[in-house]
Amino acid sequence: MKRYRPHVLVVTALAVVLSTGWHASLRNALTDLRFAWQSRAASGNVVVVGIDAPSIDQIGVWPWPRRLHAELLHRLAAAGAQDVAFDVDFSTPSDAASDEALVTALREAGGSTILPSFKQPTPNGGVPHINRPLKPFSNQSWPALVNVAIESDGLVRRYPFGEKLGDALMPSMAVVLAGQDANRRPPFLIDFSIRAGSVPSVSYVDVLRGDTATLDKLRDKKIIVGATALELGDRLSVPNGRIVPGPILQALAAESILQNRMLRWTSDIGMILGLGVICLLMMYSWRRFAPGMRVAILISAGAACELVAVLVQARWPFIIDTSLFHIAIVAYLTAIALDEIDFRSLMGRIAESRFHRIAMSLGDGLVCTDEDQLITVWNPGASAIFGYMPAEIIGRPFETLCAVPVNGEARPSTRDAARQALLAPGGAVVVEFEGRRKNGETFPVEASFSGWQGTDGFQYGAILRDISVRKREAERVRYLAEYDALTGLANRNTLHAGLVGMIVDAPRRSREIALLVIGLDGFQSINDMLGHSVGDLVLQAVAIRLKDQAGDGAIVARLSGDEFAIARESSDGAEPIAEFAERIARAFEAPLATVTRQHRVRISIGVAVHPEGGHNADELLSNGHLALTKAKLTRRGSHVIFESAIRQELENRLTLESELALAADRGEFELFYQPQVRLIDASLVGAEALIRWRHPVRGYVSPGEFMPVVNTSELSERIGNWVMETACRQARTWELSGDPVRVAINLSPSQLHSGDLAHSVATLLDATGLTPSLLEIEVTEDILLHDESRVLDMFKRIQQLGVRILFDDFGTGYASLSYLKKFPLDGLKIDRSFVLDLLAHSDDAAIVGSTIGLSKQLGLTVVAEGIENRATADFLVSMGCEEGQGYFFGRPMPAEAFERQFLAAECAAVSAA
C-alpha cells in the first residue's frame, strides 16, 4: 500500500478538484496569463465610433435625438465606410421627425446597417424581455444580438455566434459584421491577446462635424457605433483586470473572427494522455530516483507542457487545457514532501521535549518545593527574576525569596497557599507579596501556587512573575486618568472632580467659586507653520505661566488641544474675579520662551462664577465655554464673564447659521451690483458684486447682520465660491451681449486658505468663458496676515491668468503700506471712512492725497469708495483719482436694474453718436 500511496493521493486530489470545479478557475487563470504573455495588434478593419466624453460635452446629455444618428449615417456613407453597426438601443420611439430622419438614412444606406437586439432580465426572474429595434428601423437594417455571457468570476470570455430569440436564430453583432454564418455554431473564446488599445477609435462628434482626417480613417472600414464614455456605464470586465466598453468588446470579437482567432478548447483526450504519462513516469521513478530528481522531472514537465500550450495558442486558434496536469504535478510534489517526513519519529521527539520546554523555557519563574518548603526545582526564568543560579538556591527555604515585611506581617507560606489551591476552583491560588533579589533589591511578585501528592510526600509549586512593570504601568494609567501627559496639569476629569468638591463645600465655607476657561488665540497657525513639536513646547510654556499666575489652592487643568481652565475659591478680601481674569490675560502680553524661540500668544478667557454661572460642575464648564466663545468673537485677548444673555446670543447665532445654510440650499442669496465709474466723465468702468439675502419672511436682511456670521462659520467658503461663480457668469452674460463690464468680488479668508484659489479661478474662467481682465478680486488685510509666502505665490499665479487684484479698505489696517510693497497688486480702494468727510477734514484729505500719489508712483489703480456728492468726486479728480463708486453714482442694485440704468443708457448713447 505504501508503494501506491502517492498515486492514490494524486487520484484523490484530481477527483476532489473535478467534483468541485476548481480546475475551471485554474484553466481560466492560465489562459488569461497566456493572453498577457502574447500581444497582437488589431487588423484595423474594424473602427469604433465612440460616444465619448468630448461628444457628450459638445452635443449634450445622452440620449441624443435620432436625427444625429441619421446625419452620422450620411457622413459614414459619404466617407466610404462598409458596414455600420449601432450598439445603441432603438427599441422605443422618440420624436416623430427624428425617427423619420433615421428611417430615411437607413433606407439610403441600402441595408448595410446593423441594429442591435438584446435580452433584458425581468425583475421577478421570469422570461427575459427582448428589446428589438422599432419595426420601421428593423425593416431597413440587419438584426444582430449584442448580449454576452458573464462567467461566475464576473468576466466576459466567450462570445456567441447567435442565439434563438423566439422561433428565429439571431446572429451576434460581431458575426454579422464579419460576414460569418451563425447556424449551429457553439460560442468561441475571444482572443484577448489582441490589444484593445490597437482597435482604431474616433469620436462621434468628429465624424458628425465632418472632420476630414477622421473621415479618411473610415474608408472601406467596418464601423461599430457605441458608448465609450465612462458615465454611460456600458463597460465589461475582461481577463487580466481590464475593463472595456461594450463597442470595444464587440470589435475584439469581430477582430477574433476576421483574424481567424476564434479560440476553442482542445478535447479532453490530450489531457487524459498527459495525466497518464505523468502518472506512469512517477510510478517508474518513485523508488528509482532521489526526491530532488523527481522534483526536477515534475517541474520540467510542467514547464514544457505550458510552453507547448503557449506556442500552440499563439500559432493556432486552440487553447490547450493544462489545469489538471498542473494539479497532478502539485499533488505529486506534495506527496514527495510528505513521503520524506518521518511523522512517528517527529511525534516522539515532540513528546520527549514537551515537559522540558514548558518547565525550563517558561518566561516566568518556576519553583517547586518539598513538604518542608525547601526548593527542589528552579528554572532559568526564576534565575532571571531573582538572580540566583540553581546551585545557589536549590535546598534553601522558599522564604529566602521573600522580603521582610516592614509592617510586621508574616511572610507568605507556600504550604498554606498550596492547601488553599487544592480547594480553589482550577486548582491554583494567586498571591502577591514583596520579593527580594540576590542583591537585596525588593520588588512586587505575583505567585500562582499549586500542590500535589508525590511519591516523596506532598509537594508544592509556584509560578512567579515580576510585576514591577505592571505596577508602574498601573500607576501611569492612574496618572494619565487624572493628569495631562504633555503639560502635567490636571485633566478634565480631575478638574470636574475638584469643582464638585468645591461646590459641595461652598455653603459651609461661604466662598465664591470661579471657573476660567482659557483659549489660545491663533495657536493653530503655530502648529501649521512651525510644526506640532514646537506647538507642544508652547503648550508647556502656557501651562507653566498659568500655574505661576493662578497661585496656591487653584486647580489648573488642560481641557483639550489649546484650551485650559483654572478653578479657584475666593474668600472675602481676596482678589476679585474680574481682576484675577484680567491679570491672567495681561500675563500673556509678554512673549513665551521655548527652547527654539520666543512666541507671542494671546489668550481669551470665559469666566463662569458659581452659582450665577452654574449650579454644578457641568453647568460651570458649559457656561465657561460659552463665555469663551463670546470672548473670541468680541474681546480677543481679554475676558468675558458669563451672563444668561450670552447663551441666548450664541443660540441666536447658531439659529442664524442654520438659516444661512438653508438659505444657501434654497438659493435665497442674490448678487447686487454697484457701479464703478471713471470720475472725470462718470462713464461706467465696472461693478462691485455685493451679496444680499432675500429672507422668505423678513425680506432683505442687512449684510451687516449676516455677513459677520458667514465669515466666521463653515459656510464662508461655500458662499464665497457661489459669489465668485455667480458674478463671473453674470459678467460673461454682459460680455456676450456686447457690454464688457469689469466685475469686482470680495474674497473671503476661507477661500484663500482652504485650497488652491488660483486653480479654482482658472477652472471658473474656463467654465464660463469670461475674459480674465473682466474679473477683479478685492482682498483685505486680514486675508494677508497668515502664511505670507503662500499668499504671495497664489496672487502671482492669479495675476498670470490676467485677473486683477485690488487691496480693499486701504488705510484701516496696521501694515497697509508694507503690503503694497510685498504683494503683487493692481490697485487699491480707499476706504469710505476717509472719503465721506474729505471736504471737511484736512487730515482725511492729506491721507487720501498721499495715498493717490504713492499709488501712481507704484503704478497702481486707485478706486475711491463712499462718494456721495459731485463736490467730493471733483475734489478726488483734482487729486488725481481716476475711479470711484458711491451712492452719488448708484446704489447696489439687482442685475436687471443695473442693466436698465447703466448698460441700456450706454447703448443709447452709442446709438445716438
Side-chain angles (χ1 to χ4, degrees):
M1 181 63 187
K2 186 175 181 180
R3 178 179 180 183
Y4 296 103
R5 185 173 60 190
H7 314 294
V8 172
L9 173 64
V10 172
V11 172
T12 303
L14 290 173
V16 170
V17 168
L18 285 171
S19 63
T20 57
W22 291 345
H23 70 292
S25 299
L26 178 59
R27 178 183 63 188
N28 289 335
L30 290 171
T31 304
D32 296 347
L33 280 175
R34 294 170 198 164
F35 286 146
W37 293 336
Q38 302 169 8
S39 179
R40 64 182 75 239
S43 66
N45 291 327
V46 181
V47 179
V48 174
V49 176
I51 301 172
D52 51 11
S55 299
I56 293 174
D57 288 341
Q58 296 187 40
I59 297 175
V61 177
W62 180 263
W64 300 330
R66 286 175 179 159
R67 58 180 175 77
L68 297 181
H69 301 318
E71 185 178 347
L72 183 77
L73 272 176
H74 291 310
R75 294 286 188 185
L76 293 174
Q82 292 184 3
D83 298 327
V84 178
F86 276 90
D87 190 2
V88 178
D89 185 10
F90 292 104
S91 62
T92 57
S94 65
D95 64 280
S98 288
D99 287 350
E100 183 59 33
L102 181 59
V103 170
T104 302
L106 292 171
R107 186 185 304 115
E108 292 175 357
S112 62
T113 307
I114 305 166
L115 297 186
S117 298
F118 55 93
K119 293 192 301 183
Q120 188 171 351
T122 55
N124 55 7
V127 178
H129 176 70
I130 300 173
N131 281 21
R132 303 175 186 269
L134 296 174
K135 192 166 184 179
F137 302 154
S138 60
N139 289 340
Q140 306 296 331
S141 61
W142 289 96
L145 186 72
V146 294
N147 287 99
V148 291
I150 298 177
E151 301 189 2
S152 59
D153 58 359
L155 303 183
V156 176
R157 292 186 175 87
R158 292 175 173 79
Y159 191 85
F161 271 87
E163 190 170 345
K164 199 167 185 180
L165 298 181
D167 297 331
L169 178 67
M170 181 174 291
S172 294
M173 179 172 285
V175 174
V176 177
L177 201 62
Q180 295 289 312
D181 181 14
N183 288 324
R184 299 178 184 175
R185 300 182 70 175
F188 64 89
L189 292 167
I190 299 174
D191 186 2
F192 286 107
S193 64
I194 301 174
R195 300 188 303 276
S198 67
V199 176
S201 180
V202 298
S203 180
Y204 188 105
V205 71
D206 290 340
V207 177
L208 198 61
R209 68 188 180 194
D211 182 72
T212 304
T214 301
L215 295 178
D216 289 343
K217 299 178 183 178
L218 307 179
R219 187 173 304 280
D220 298 326
K221 305 297 184 184
K222 299 177 183 293
I223 308 299
I224 298 177
V225 182
T228 60
L230 181 64
E231 55 265 35
L232 296 185
D234 185 15
R235 307 185 77 79
L236 300 165
S237 298
V238 297
N240 296 319
R242 292 182 295 168
I243 299 176
V244 299
I248 296 295
L249 181 68
Q250 298 291 341
L252 290 175
E255 286 284 351
S256 298
I257 298 172
L258 293 173
Q259 296 187 33
N260 194 25
R261 296 294 298 170
M262 296 175 288
L263 303 178
R264 301 188 185 280
W265 300 107
T266 56
S267 66
D268 296 335
I269 297 176
M271 176 62 67
I272 295 173
L273 291 176
L275 290 175
V277 169
I278 197 68
C279 288
L280 290 175
L281 185 61
M282 286 296 101
M283 291 177 68
Y284 174 79
S285 63
W286 199 262
R287 297 302 174 195
R288 291 179 175 84
F289 298 129
M293 180 62 72
R294 278 178 275 153
V295 169
I297 292 172
L298 289 170
I299 294 176
S300 300
C305 176
E306 193 59 33
L307 179 62
V308 170
V310 170
L311 294 175
V312 168
Q313 185 172 327
R315 190 178 181 96
W316 295 284
F318 297 108
I319 299 178
I320 299 178
D321 181 6
T322 59
S323 57
L324 293 178
F325 188 80
H326 289 303
I327 291 171
I329 289 176
V330 172
Y332 270 120
L333 291 173
T334 304
I336 291 173
L338 294 175
D339 197 48
E340 292 302 306
I341 298 176
D342 188 350
F343 284 99
R344 182 173 298 175
S345 175
L346 178 62
M347 295 302 295
R349 291 195 300 272
I350 292 173
E352 290 173 2
S353 62
R354 180 180 300 162
F355 175 79
H356 178 76
R357 289 202 313 272
I358 294 174
M360 307 310 291
S361 299
L362 192 67
D364 297 327
L366 177 62
V367 178
C368 296
T369 68
D370 59 16
E371 193 170 13
D372 297 327
Q373 298 193 52
L374 300 179
I375 296 172
T376 57
V377 175
W378 183 266
N379 77 336
S383 296
I385 294 173
F386 290 93
Y388 292 102
M389 291 297 103
E392 298 176 293
I393 196 67
I394 289 179
R396 298 177 65 179
F398 182 83
E399 283 75 7
T400 306
L401 309 177
C402 304
V404 177
V406 296
N407 54 4
E409 295 180 358
R411 295 180 179 181
S413 168
T414 56
R415 180 186 293 107
D416 295 341
R419 295 291 183 185
Q420 294 176 20
L422 294 176
L423 302 175
V429 64
V430 178
V431 175
E432 288 188 14
F433 65 92
E434 196 73 11
R436 184 179 63 190
R437 306 188 202 276
K438 180 181 178 181
N439 61 7
E441 177 188 352
T442 60
F443 63 100
V445 178
E446 181 184 80
S448 177
F449 289 102
S450 59
W452 64 93
Q453 183 65 46
T455 56
D456 297 330
F458 201 84
Q459 299 181 7
Y460 309 98
I463 297 176
L464 307 176
R465 182 176 294 115
D466 182 352
I467 58 174
S468 302
V469 174
R470 191 172 78 188
K471 289 284 189 181
R472 286 195 298 270
E473 286 300 321
E475 184 63 25
R476 175 168 175 76
V477 169
R478 186 194 67 78
Y479 177 83
L480 292 178
E482 298 177 359
Y483 296 93
D484 176 57
L486 177 64
T487 62
L489 300 178
N491 62 12
R492 180 183 290 271
N493 294 333
T494 303
L495 174 68
H496 188 278
L499 282 172
V500 170
M502 290 180 182
I503 293 172
V504 170
D505 292 341
R508 178 174 56 84
R509 304 175 66 177
S510 300
R511 291 192 173 185
E512 189 178 48
I513 299 168
L515 174 67
L516 281 65
V517 180
I518 301 164
L520 307 187
D521 297 334
F523 176 73
Q524 185 60 43
S525 62
I526 295 177
N527 275 339
D528 293 341
M529 291 187 289
L530 303 179
H532 286 272
S533 58
V534 176
D536 289 345
L537 294 175
V538 172
L539 292 175
Q540 291 170 346
V542 169
I544 293 172
R545 185 161 296 181
L546 288 176
K547 288 180 69 176
D548 291 342
Q549 296 296 322
D552 297 334
I555 302 175
V556 183
R558 182 185 178 203
L559 299 180
S560 62
D562 61 350
E563 283 191 358
F564 297 82
I566 300 175
R568 66 163 233 174
E569 295 177 322
S570 298
S571 57
D572 294 338
E575 183 180 19
I577 294 298
E579 295 181 10
F580 175 69
E582 194 60 31
R583 178 168 61 81
I584 296 292
R586 286 199 307 272
F588 285 85
E589 293 176 357
L592 292 169
T594 62
V595 177
T596 56
R597 59 187 293 177
Q598 290 189 332
H599 305 269
R600 291 194 173 274
V601 177
R602 293 195 310 170
I603 65 171
S604 298
I605 304 175
V607 183
V609 181
H610 173 78
E612 294 83 1
H615 291 85
N616 54 47
D618 291 327
E619 289 183 2
L620 279 176
L621 283 166
S622 175
N623 294 335
H625 276 97
L626 289 177
L628 174 61
T629 302
K630 175 68 174 178
K632 283 182 173 290
L633 291 173
T634 61
R635 300 194 63 192
R636 282 184 175 266
S638 186
H639 73 279
V640 169
I641 299 178
F642 175 80
E643 299 173 347
S644 58
I646 291 178
R647 179 177 295 275
Q648 184 61 46
E649 178 183 342
L650 294 177
E651 287 179 356
N652 292 341
R653 177 186 171 87
L654 291 175
T655 301
L656 184 55
E657 285 188 13
S658 177
E659 288 184 350
L660 287 169
L662 289 175
D665 294 337
R666 295 192 295 237
E668 295 174 3
F669 292 116
E670 300 177 8
L671 281 189
F672 279 25
Y673 298 88
Q674 184 175 24
Q676 295 176 334
V677 302
R678 187 175 292 106
L679 293 178
I680 193 169
D681 58 2
S683 60
L684 182 71
V685 295
E688 181 177 5
L690 301 168
I691 191 169
R692 294 295 184 265
W693 178 16
R694 186 194 295 270
H695 194 280
V697 177
R698 300 165 56 192
Y700 280 111
V701 181
S702 169
E705 179 179 345
F706 70 87
M707 282 309 296
V709 176
V710 169
N711 290 332
T712 56
S713 70
E714 296 179 354
L715 291 169
S716 177
E717 182 181 2
R718 177 184 175 186
I719 294 178
N721 291 338
W722 176 85
V723 169
M724 182 181 292
E725 180 179 354
T726 305
C728 286
R729 294 195 182 280
Q730 182 61 64
R732 178 56 175 166
T733 300
W734 287 335
E735 182 182 8
L736 292 175
S737 64
D739 297 307
V741 177
R742 185 187 70 207
V743 175
I745 61 170
N746 294 288
L747 191 70
S748 70
S750 59
Q751 286 178 281
L752 188 64
H753 299 305
S754 63
D756 190 344
L757 178 65
H759 177 73
S760 300
V761 172
T763 302
L764 183 57
L765 291 174
D766 289 340
T768 60
L770 178 65
T771 301
S773 61
L774 295 181
L775 176 61
E776 191 171 84
I777 294 177
E778 298 182 0
V779 297
T780 53
E781 183 176 322
D782 58 334
I783 290 179
L784 312 178
L785 287 176
H786 305 291
D787 201 355
E788 290 184 356
S789 60
R790 179 175 177 273
V791 174
L792 178 63
D793 174 69
M794 196 82 70
F795 282 3
K796 287 180 178 178
R797 291 168 55 203
I798 291 174
Q799 282 189 323
Q800 289 171 0
L801 297 173
V803 177
R804 289 165 49 85
I805 300 177
L806 263 68
F807 193 171
D808 196 10
D809 296 340
F810 182 78
T812 60
Y814 296 102
S816 299
L817 293 177
S818 65
Y819 287 156
L820 296 182
K821 178 181 177 181
K822 286 182 182 179
F823 293 97
L825 300 170
D826 296 290
L828 57 84
K829 299 185 73 173
I830 301 175
D831 188 70
R832 66 192 310 273
S833 62
F834 296 101
V835 176
L836 287 176
D837 297 325
L838 184 63
L839 300 176
H841 292 84
S842 58
D843 292 342
D844 289 347
I847 293 173
V848 172
S850 299
T851 301
I852 294 172
L854 176 63
S855 300
K856 286 186 175 294
Q857 292 180 7
L858 296 175
L860 302 178
T861 302
V862 180
V863 181
E865 296 181 301
I867 302 174
E868 298 191 357
N869 52 66
R870 167 55 64 186
T872 302
D874 292 340
F875 191 36
L876 287 168
V877 170
S878 67
M879 287 182 169
C881 182
E882 298 176 353
E883 298 180 13
Q885 68 184 81
Y887 287 177
F888 177 70
F889 302 107
R891 293 175 176 269
M893 61 191 73
E896 297 80 3
F898 186 88
E899 292 171 3
R900 289 194 302 270
Q901 183 171 343
F902 293 98
L903 302 187
E906 285 203 355
C907 290
V910 171
S911 300

